[in-house]
């Protein structure tokens, strides 16, 4: 065939396969398999850590839920749990401390802003 002034031989299109050394090809294949196994191992480690952290979070939430259930049962019986009393009094004290802390921080910020 003559195409554009050039003679072309009939056959397959595209690049001709390079003559690759069989040993090099096998070594690349082995290296690729090693890397694949390493990635798989890391992925499974990550997933196992994720599952264990979620399980710990679930246990903590279940314990917290049980504590709230006990508090509710005590309040249904007309008793106020000491923890709730501490929370309520702690909130009042905490608000006073927060206000004093905010004022102190505001004073420090003003001092820092005014200094060159």
């Amino acid at each position: 065939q003559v195409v554009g002034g050039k003679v072309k031989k009939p056959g397959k299109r595209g690049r001709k396969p390079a003559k690759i050394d069989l040993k090099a090809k096998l070594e690349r294949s082995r290296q690729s398999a090693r890397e694949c196994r390493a990635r798989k191992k890391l992925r499974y480690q990550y997933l196992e850590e994720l599952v264990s952290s979620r399980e710990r979070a679930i246990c903590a939430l279940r314990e917290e839920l049980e504590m709230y259930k006990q508090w509710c049962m005590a309040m249904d019986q007309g008793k106020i749990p000491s923890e709730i009393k501490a929370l309520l009094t702690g909130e009042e004290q905490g608000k006073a401390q927060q206000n004093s802390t905010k004022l102190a921080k505001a004073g420090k910020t003003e001092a820092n802003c005014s200094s060159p």
Side-chain angles (χ1 to χ4, degrees):
Q1 286 182 338
V2 178
V3 177
K6 296 182 182 178
V7 177
K8 287 195 169 188
K9 297 178 184 177
K12 296 182 181 178
R13 293 183 176 183
R15 294 172 45 177
K16 293 183 181 177
K19 305 243 176 171
I20 299 173
D21 186 23
L22 187 59
K23 288 183 180 180
K25 186 175 180 181
L26 286 173
E27 184 56 36
R28 277 202 320 270
S29 177
R30 289 184 189 116
Q31 181 63 29
S32 178
R34 279 192 290 269
E35 291 170 0
C36 180
R37 287 190 294 269
R39 285 192 304 270
K40 184 177 179 181
K41 184 178 179 181
L42 285 173
R43 185 169 48 251
Y44 274 93
Q45 286 175 349
Y46 167 74
L47 291 173
E48 287 174 358
E49 290 171 7
L50 193 63
V51 166
S52 65
S53 70
R54 300 284 166 90
E55 286 175 345
R56 285 192 301 271
I58 288 170
C59 288
L61 289 170
R62 283 188 177 145
E63 289 174 6
E64 188 178 353
L65 179 63
E66 188 60 35
M67 177 185 67
Y68 290 139
K69 284 181 182 178
Q70 290 175 359
W71 287 3
C72 288
M73 287 172 47
M75 291 176 72
D76 287 343
Q77 296 172 356
K79 301 173 186 173
I80 299 177
S82 58
E83 295 91 348
I84 293 178
K85 287 180 183 176
L87 284 174
L88 292 173
T89 57
E91 282 180 9
E92 293 170 5
Q93 292 173 357
K95 286 179 183 177
Q97 288 176 350
Q98 285 177 354
N99 289 338
S100 63
T101 306
K102 285 180 184 177
L103 291 173
K105 285 183 180 178
K108 288 180 183 177
T109 305
E110 289 174 8
N112 290 341
C113 292
S114 63
S115 60

